Amino acid sequence: MNPNLLQTPIDYLKGIGPQRADILRKEIGVHTYGDLLNFFPNRYLDKTRFYKISQLEKNSSDVQVIGKIVHLRTVEQKKGKRLVADFIDDTGKMELVWFRGQKWIRENLKLNTPYVIFGKTSWFNGLFSMPHPEMELLEDYKKNLRTAMQPVYPSTEKLGKTGITNRVISRCIQQLFVESGGKFIDPLPEELRQELHLLPKAEALFNAHFPKDQELLAKAEFRLKFEELFYIQLQLLMKNLIRKKKIKGFPFEEVGTYFSDFYENHLPFELTSAQKRVIKEIRQDLGSGAQMNRLLQGDVGSGKTIVALMSVLLALDNGFQACIMAPTEILAIQHFNGISELVGELGISVRLLTGSTRTSERKEIHAALENGELNLLIGTHALLEEKVKFQNLGLAIIDEQHRFGVAQRARLWKKNHLPPHVLVMTATPIPRTLAMSLYGDLDVSVIDELPPGRKEIRTVHRYDSNRLKVFRFIRDEIKKGRQVYIVYPLIQESEALDYKDLMDGYESIAREFPTPEFQISIVHGQMKPADKDYEMDRFVKGETQIMVATTVIEVGVNVPNASVMIIESAERFGLSQLHQLRGRVGRGAEQSYCILMTGHKLSNDSKTRLETMVRTADGFEIAEVDLKLRGPGDLMGTQQSGILNLKIADIVKDNDTLKTARYYALQLLKEDPNLGLEKNRVVKFTYSQLVKEKNIWNYIS
Ligand code: ADP
Ligand code: MG
């Protein structure tokens, strides 16, 4: 087939005019023939069976019945009207019902003529009824060649409204198979296809849209999912290979005095074995001569900071500078204070640079960076500014990476003539399957062990109606000398409403916990940074006992004496957010509590989230549930959603296929790292096309 055919704009397809083309582009991202071909059904209806009306069962799924309409009538209802048809076969009577499009239906339906109807039934007034059935005259039904299983394509309201029904899409795709002669280049090499008994591409495509039977459908899906995941893995692995070969890194060969002195004399605690293992992995990378690009995953409180610091010391020992970038000012300050204290006696120069650093100080910092006096710079994304020039940056550490865009990360690479080593730390554990796909080109280290002596945080779910009891509990804890967070949701779309909720909440808490006995801090997104810091500071120092806040406190804040976390409207938070928030307590020696407050009305997903929180504190388990509930796009935050843009595979459900695909991609690259072998010609071609399309290449660094 002419390979350009797949690039043809969708406007040119028979049956699709410019208007429909526009809707297809906007609604389902179909721009070309190729896109449409890769727009797959999300389910299939098995229309092999016909039911008699007497055989219908309550709540049965979609059914197909042959019969005729004997009577049509309009029924007035509270709002508007509905059109009702009496539909009979030789075993009984049922009703067909329309709430929309009644005029058209009334004019076009034929009475006393056999129809094939298809749809879901409901039980109403002692009769079965089928709202908005799919209908076709039996005569036409018999004429059309059809496969047993009918594809159902994902739809949107707009598609339905503008007449781009399932049938229209399915016809267009049929048309595509006709125009292309059903011939498609097979992007998988013969050898691989044989080894895995994969269907040829053309056959797989056809059967994914119009399966002949269940078995062929399964084979078709496997083949297409495999191909999709194979090429993602191939790109990621290639990228890693190229990086390791081409991108030289600064070799940190020495373990010098800073590192040893710190390790022997200043380490405030014994490292956990997970921390030791990870530090070893990082040391190996840094000494290898290739540039390190490593993702460090560790649950909240697992002790990533000390790992970061020890990596920094390795950089300094080898004559390089280092920087640590945090997503918020509060967090940057906390790192600065914590680290300054830890390295106090080592004689290292550490400075803090954030958006609110004064110009005079900023100038000093810039100068000290350039002349090499400054060893370690800690800050926010202010570090990324053009003016911030290092004499010799060797290591860049990014904390809580999901808050940074990928483009920002890339800017760090340009801060030296060779890219510095990069360590990305995240407290949002990414399920392994997802990490494999998104960060397949990064090396991953995991701290899977918490420091000893941590008490488990007791987590409970309480309804708003129990608020008084919760208040009593708070009072008791404060009397024991503890501090309490009360967190309100902040969701961008209704910022004003959230603000009102927060203020209402604050007032009722202020009433319940009056001064001078109680002192309350409040922190939210609409405050000036200086005011925020002031309030935060009072809480950190223990001058206030209650911190009323929005999720601004989500990341990183460390107040060991705070032992109670109340989360208001907990059903409105995502799982990973809830987990992050809970991680703010349980940092000291006291028994800590997390109370999830909600109303009585909860969606199933909300219930699952709350139950998960109550059941487990394991960040990885929570991340898996989150992934299942939300899908991978959301989990990564909007910035990174849609990176993979999967057409048919599902990272969660097709986990096994993903592993197989990764294995075979790896084997292929081992044998043929440059894709130079004749038998892999088609792989080379497909790969270069994908890179040209900037598939995932540009998004992952
Ligand atoms: P996170 O991984 O969330 O960034 P931190 O690095 O902030 O965690 O560490 C959380 C707390 O645990 C800090 O107070 C830190 O001093 C302490 N900590 C870290 N490692 C250990 C350890 N091996 N033993 C005891 N306490 C530790
Ligand atoms: Mg941290």
Side-chain angles (χ1 to χ4, degrees):
M1 171 200 97
N2 173 5
N4 292 331
L5 186 70
L6 291 183
Q7 311 295 333
T8 315
I10 197 71
D11 310 56
Y12 293 94
L13 192 69
K14 208 175 134 196
I16 299 199
Q19 261 167 0
R20 283 184 165 181
D22 223 36
I23 291 165
L24 288 176
R25 276 189 288 267
K26 282 195 192 120
E27 290 291 304
I28 52 176
V30 167
H31 296 253
T32 62
Y33 283 19
D35 291 340
L36 187 60
L37 204 58
N38 285 308
F39 182 67
F40 293 107
N42 53 6
R43 62 194 177 104
Y44 302 83
L45 300 174
D46 194 346
K47 293 196 178 174
T48 46
R49 170 156 186 205
F50 287 94
Y51 287 77
K52 293 286 184 189
I53 292 174
S54 63
Q55 293 172 323
L56 294 178
E57 281 177 42
K58 283 179 203 171
N59 293 326
S60 59
S61 59
D62 292 79
V63 290
Q64 187 169 238
V65 184
I66 299 175
K68 25 184 152 165
I69 295 172
V70 289
H71 181 69
L72 262 178
R73 65 182 184 280
T74 301
V75 180
E76 297 286 336
Q77 37 183 51
K78 257 192 212 145
K79 262 192 190 168
K81 299 177 264 196
R82 65 176 189 271
L83 182 67
V84 179
D86 292 333
F87 187 83
I88 60 160
D89 68 2
D90 50 7
T91 68
K93 180 173 114 172
M94 64 186 285
E95 288 181 344
L96 312 181
V97 186
W98 292 269
F99 302 95
R100 303 179 300 272
Q102 298 173 10
K103 180 163 179 284
W104 189 89
I105 288 158
R106 198 174 250 293
E107 283 162 10
N108 286 277
L109 275 189
K110 294 189 173 140
L111 291 186
N112 299 311
T113 317
Y115 274 100
V116 176
I117 63 160
F118 184 81
K120 270 197 177 36
T121 56
S122 49
W123 182 250
F124 183 69
N125 275 350
L127 272 182
F128 278 104
S129 69
M130 190 185 284
H132 291 265
E134 264 182 46
M135 303 188 66
E136 192 168 14
L137 286 169
L138 181 62
E139 199 187 323
D140 294 342
Y141 179 92
K142 282 183 179 156
K143 263 189 259 164
N144 276 349
L145 198 92
R146 64 185 67 229
T147 51
M149 300 187 47
Q150 304 277 303
V152 180
Y153 293 91
S155 187
T156 66
E157 205 177 321
K158 189 96 185 266
L159 281 184
K161 270 191 191 153
T162 47
I164 307 183
T165 57
N166 195 53
R167 203 185 305 177
V168 169
I169 288 187
S170 152
R171 286 219 180 115
C172 286
I173 291 172
Q174 277 179 35
Q175 176 68 21
L176 255 175
F177 277 102
V178 173
E179 282 190 29
S180 62
K183 293 204 178 78
F184 301 98
I185 294 172
D186 198 317
L188 291 178
E190 182 65 33
E191 204 177 79
L192 191 56
R193 259 162 39 208
Q194 290 199 347
E195 185 165 348
L196 287 165
H197 306 289
L198 298 175
L199 286 187
K201 173 81 169 191
E203 206 178 328
L205 271 176
F206 188 80
N207 278 288
H209 288 290
F210 310 109
K212 291 209 181 71
D213 55 43
Q214 299 279 0
E215 195 191 337
L216 268 171
L217 173 62
K219 280 189 169 170
E221 283 186 343
F222 178 74
R223 144 80 215 214
L224 295 173
K225 288 174 177 177
F226 178 85
E227 178 187 322
E228 184 164 48
L229 296 168
F230 176 84
Y231 275 101
I232 286 175
Q233 291 304 322
L234 192 80
Q235 287 178 83
L236 291 167
L237 291 165
M238 273 295 253
K239 188 159 188 203
N240 202 1
L241 215 70
I242 290 169
R243 178 165 53 82
K244 285 197 171 137
K245 234 191 296 173
K246 281 213 188 121
I247 307 184
K248 291 228 162 30
F250 304 112
F252 293 0
E253 274 147 4
E254 305 212 359
V255 174
T257 28
Y258 285 136
F259 188 92
S260 317
D261 184 15
F262 180 77
Y263 191 76
E264 277 153 32
N265 306 317
H266 302 287
L267 204 57
F269 37 66
E270 170 93 9
L271 294 177
T272 63
S273 51
Q275 285 169 322
K276 284 185 192 156
R277 187 188 67 236
V278 167
I279 290 170
K280 204 189 255 172
E281 286 165 359
I282 292 171
R283 260 172 65 177
Q284 265 164 11
D285 276 10
L286 296 177
S288 74
Q291 184 224 13
M292 175 174 81
N293 232 338
R294 189 169 276 278
L295 178 72
L296 173 57
Q297 289 195 57
D299 213 337
V300 186
S302 61
K304 294 183 293 291
T305 315
I306 202 83
V307 173
L309 175 61
M310 294 185 71
S311 312
V312 166
L313 296 179
L314 280 173
L316 306 195
D317 274 338
N318 286 273
F320 290 91
Q321 292 165 302
C323 67
I324 299 177
M325 188 161 79
T328 63
E329 181 151 18
I330 293 177
L331 201 57
I333 293 171
Q334 219 163 63
H335 272 320
F336 176 74
N337 292 340
I339 286 174
S340 299
E341 197 173 310
L342 281 168
V343 301
E345 291 164 40
L346 296 183
I348 290 172
S349 148
V350 188
R351 305 277 310 242
L352 175 72
L353 180 70
T354 70
S356 36
T357 307
R358 265 176 306 174
T359 318
S360 54
E361 199 183 343
R362 209 173 265 261
K363 280 193 183 138
E364 255 173 61
I365 291 176
H366 289 167
L369 266 186
E370 284 194 59
N371 68 28
E373 272 167 31
L374 184 50
N375 301 119
L376 171 60
L377 183 61
I378 296 175
T380 55
H381 41 263
L383 297 194
L384 294 172
E385 282 167 20
E386 208 66 44
K387 274 181 263 166
V388 180
K389 294 198 184 88
F390 293 81
Q391 186 192 51
N392 198 10
L393 179 66
L395 171 68
I397 296 177
I398 305 178
D399 198 11
E400 313 291 356
Q401 99 94 25
H402 61 296
R403 294 274 170 133
F404 286 105
V406 177
Q408 290 175 314
R409 222 193 310 162
R411 274 160 73 180
L412 278 173
W413 282 47
K414 303 202 176 107
K415 295 268 178 196
N416 205 342
H417 63 280
L418 287 182
H421 297 291
V422 175
L423 181 67
V424 169
M425 305 198 293
T426 170
T428 312
I430 301 163
R432 197 170 305 183
T433 43
L434 190 59
M436 217 190 250
S437 309
L438 279 177
Y439 298 105
D441 67 324
L442 294 191
D443 298 305
V444 180
S445 289
V446 180
I447 305 186
D448 49 7
E449 181 186 353
L450 291 181
R454 290 274 162 83
K455 283 204 182 132
E456 201 173 312
I457 301 164
R458 270 192 213 142
T459 304
V460 294
H461 171 202
R462 292 284 178 267
Y463 293 105
D464 290 337
S465 45
N466 283 325
R467 186 167 297 278
L468 287 181
K469 267 195 191 156
V470 174
F471 281 155
R472 212 173 306 143
F473 174 74
I474 294 176
R475 200 167 291 127
D476 289 346
E477 288 299 301
I478 292 177
K479 280 205 187 111
K480 289 190 214 156
R482 319 272 185 271
Q483 288 164 285
V484 178
Y485 292 104
I486 303 179
V487 177
Y488 288 81
L490 187 70
I491 296 169
Q492 248 102 38
E493 296 101 70
S494 61
E495 219 170 302
L497 251 179
D498 285 327
Y499 183 68
K500 187 175 172 299
D501 282 356
L502 176 77
M503 284 310 166
D504 289 353
Y506 175 74
E507 273 164 31
S508 77
I509 289 158
R511 243 178 286 129
E512 199 68 33
F513 299 93
T515 50
E517 194 185 351
F518 301 98
Q519 300 290 331
I520 306 176
S521 284
I522 179 162
V523 171
H524 58 80
Q526 301 183 1
M527 284 163 74
K528 287 200 201 102
D531 296 342
K532 253 192 247 177
D533 290 348
Y534 172 77
E535 290 285 331
M536 199 62 222
D537 202 44
R538 293 210 307 148
F539 189 68
V540 173
K541 287 191 186 133
E543 292 168 11
T544 57
Q545 297 93 36
I546 299 177
M547 162 64 79
V548 175
T550 55
T551 46
V552 290
I553 60 148
E554 180 187 335
V555 178
V557 178
N558 194 13
V559 182
N561 190 49
S563 64
V564 181
M565 167 64 65
I566 316 271
I567 304 177
E568 293 287 347
S569 305
E571 73 276 15
R572 285 173 60 190
F573 291 86
L575 253 181
S576 72
Q577 234 181 346
L578 290 173
H579 181 60
Q580 287 291 316
L581 285 169
R582 178 168 58 183
R584 296 307 107 217
V585 296
R587 306 197 143 224
E590 307 309 330
Q591 174 63 52
S592 293
Y593 303 88
C594 174
I595 303 178
L596 307 166
M597 303 292 300
T598 73
H600 278 280
K601 237 182 162 181
L602 293 171
S603 72
N604 282 340
D605 278 9
S606 300
K607 275 184 204 148
T608 308
R609 288 198 295 269
L610 296 164
E611 280 161 16
T612 306
M613 284 296 292
V614 171
R615 186 186 71 234
T616 179
D618 179 341
F620 282 90
E621 194 181 334
I622 289 172
E624 293 284 354
V625 177
D626 204 19
L627 182 61
K628 281 188 190 126
L629 288 179
R630 297 206 285 164
D634 259 10
L635 195 63
M636 299 315 299
T638 38
Q639 262 165 344
Q640 293 176 6
S641 69
I643 289 175
L644 295 179
N645 194 14
L646 291 175
K647 302 271 189 300
I648 188 164
D650 177 316
I651 287 185
V652 182
K653 294 188 194 125
D654 300 319
N655 188 8
D656 288 342
T657 312
L658 172 67
K659 282 185 202 147
T660 313
R662 184 172 175 86
Y663 171 81
Y664 281 98
L666 200 62
Q667 293 309 307
L668 190 136
L669 284 178
K670 266 190 196 154
E671 188 192 29
D672 187 11
N674 301 314
L675 303 180
L677 295 181
E678 177 56 28
K679 65 177 181 179
N680 291 330
R681 213 167 60 161
V682 70
V683 179
K684 185 172 187 167
F685 173 76
T686 312
Y687 172 76
S688 64
Q689 292 289 107
L690 287 173
V691 172
K692 240 194 280 169
E693 284 170 22
K694 299 190 203 149
N695 198 9
I696 52 175
W697 188 262
N698 277 1
Y699 299 94
I700 298 172
S701 58

